[in-house]
Amino acid sequence: MSKTQSSFSALVRLLRYARGHRRSIIVASTYSILNKLFDIMPEILIGMAIDVVVRQDQSFMADLGIAEPFHQMLALGALTVGVWAFESLFEFLLLVTWRNLAQRLQHDLRMDAYGHLQDLDMAWFEDASTGKLVAILNDDVNQLERFLNGGASDLIQVGVTVVSVGAVFFYLSPPIALMAFTPIPVIIIGAFWFQRRAQPLYAEVRERVGFLSTRLANNISGIATIKSFTRESHELDRLGEDSEAYVEANRRAIRISSAFIPIIRMAIMAGFVATLVYGGKLVLDGELNAGAYSVLVFLTQRLLWPLTRMAETIDLYERAMASTRRILDLVETPIRVRPGEQPLPVDGVRGDIRFEKVGFAYGDGPAVLSDVDIDLPAGETLALVGSTGSGKSTLVKLLLRFYEPTAGRITLDGHDLNGVILHDLRASIGFVSQDVFLFHGTVRENIAYGQPDAGDDAIEAAARAAEAHDFIMTLPQGYDTLVGERGQKLSGGQRQRLSIARAVLKDPPVLILDEATSAVDNETEAAIQRSMKRVAEGRTTVVIAHRLSTIVDADRICVLDSGRIVETGRHDELIRRGGIYQGLWDVQTGSAGD
């Protein structure tokens, strides 16, 4: 969407999204209208009281059938109590209703945006900024909430004030009404001018929030690297540049909104003076009674002075619409990986995997995979080896349907993955990545992440299978020890073993091990290798191997080079063949050049 998309179209999109809250919107708007109608009535009652004091038995109240002036004042007193009571009641109701609506709508938006975010394909995330996404899900949603908490009601009440006060004015004195309403076109023109000028500025403000959030998120995640390279001052300067850019974007928007206020105030002053002077002349000439004159003077203030808040309200509205555009743009981002409709019997999956002439390229880039054919029978172990960039990890991503092949197809037990329900597919696969991600929580919670209802015995059994139980028991609170954000309180090997335990507990028919021992010491590698052998028993296993010593027992090894399978066989066969695999083996075992 364009940054210059109109705020009105953003409002229409928001109302279309919020159609499930239509009843609450109508009720809240009704309370705002009733509150404002009762809010302007005290000025009318004051004018009627002056009319009683001046004209007594000739007053407007006398025309209603109350002859005695004191009784007229008692009636006005009772009306005043009633008006204030209803005004207060509807003030309470509008605040509660609008704020509850704001809470529900911001909750729905955040949940829908995040839910949709989880369904987007991995290719989209490669171009997305984490900081910008966090800013949308948090700051932008909160900005819209702030507008709904007060700004929406203010806009409605300004409209009600103009219509209702205008009706009273034209009833009492059309000439004065015309004078009092003369500033309104100036205010409206000023509002449109402000809206056109402010709209791109607030879009820029929201963009700067995203950049600032990205910087903060990246720096906090990379704090160890920053410290180790003593780049604290450099990063502080870079953050200062982003923060200053955000301040400058806000400064430009504030300059425009501040210019709007003096324009409104001068227009209001002209309308008020015209009512005061011309209305007074009509009273002196006997063409208007004092009570009606009082009503007009009081209502002129009631009509015009609230408009001084228009700049603040429109400022809040523009910020909210800029945020709305970003939120709804995220919600409406198309999902390119089709979800699939064919159920997969997860409990009955055997694990027979076939890659048939599979090709793939990232976007418009060169082919990463070409004509890949692999037939992996259920229960066997397949190892993928090759140099960096040969396409090993891409094959795994295609199997998980993080991406879709650009050519050929992949099947699981004969089911084309493109047609299978994504949840069923991924529920059938356990994934252990070299980049282990642990959530901030306990050891127990991280192991049970894929099976949150698992009992303590099952969790411990999974930990023992992954050779993680012994080190877990040395932690301060054992299985209840907090691992820290991303598991930072644990070593790399410990995190890896928890990841394997998580896969064991899930007990999937297909297991993917993505270079699970690439960043650990020899002792930890041996422990992980033993646990992987136990985990792989009885299930189809795909191993991406960096250390070839971990795959010597694999049923089949596929060597990739530039996205193509160039060698296939068992370890001994490939060594005898003397090709690329033997060269890699010689390098790792120190036999090269012997």
Side-chain angles (χ1 to χ4, degrees), residues 133-149:
L133 294 176
V134 171
I136 290 174
L137 294 171
N138 188 38
D139 195 61
D140 281 331
V141 172
N142 290 341
Q143 185 67 53
L144 178 59
E145 178 192 357
R146 285 190 285 272
F147 169 69
L148 292 174
N149 275 339

Side-chain angles (χ1 to χ4, degrees), residues 431-432 436-439 441-449 459 462-464 466-473 475 478-479 481-484 486-487 489-505 524 528 531:
F431 182 47
V432 179
V436 177
F437 188 93
L438 297 182
F439 295 89
T442 65
V443 170
R444 186 188 315 278
E445 290 168 341
N446 273 279
I447 294 176
Y449 185 72
I459 292 173
R464 288 184 182 279
E467 297 201 15
H469 176 76
D470 290 343
F471 91 77
I472 292 173
M473 296 310 296
L475 298 175
Y479 283 84
T481 301
L482 291 173
V483 301
R486 296 183 65 92
K489 293 184 178 181
L490 304 178
S491 69
Q494 290 172 335
R495 291 195 295 269
Q496 192 64 269
R497 279 183 267 187
L498 289 188
S499 178
I500 294 172
R502 187 160 58 191
V504 171
L505 186 62
T524 303
I528 292 176
S531 64

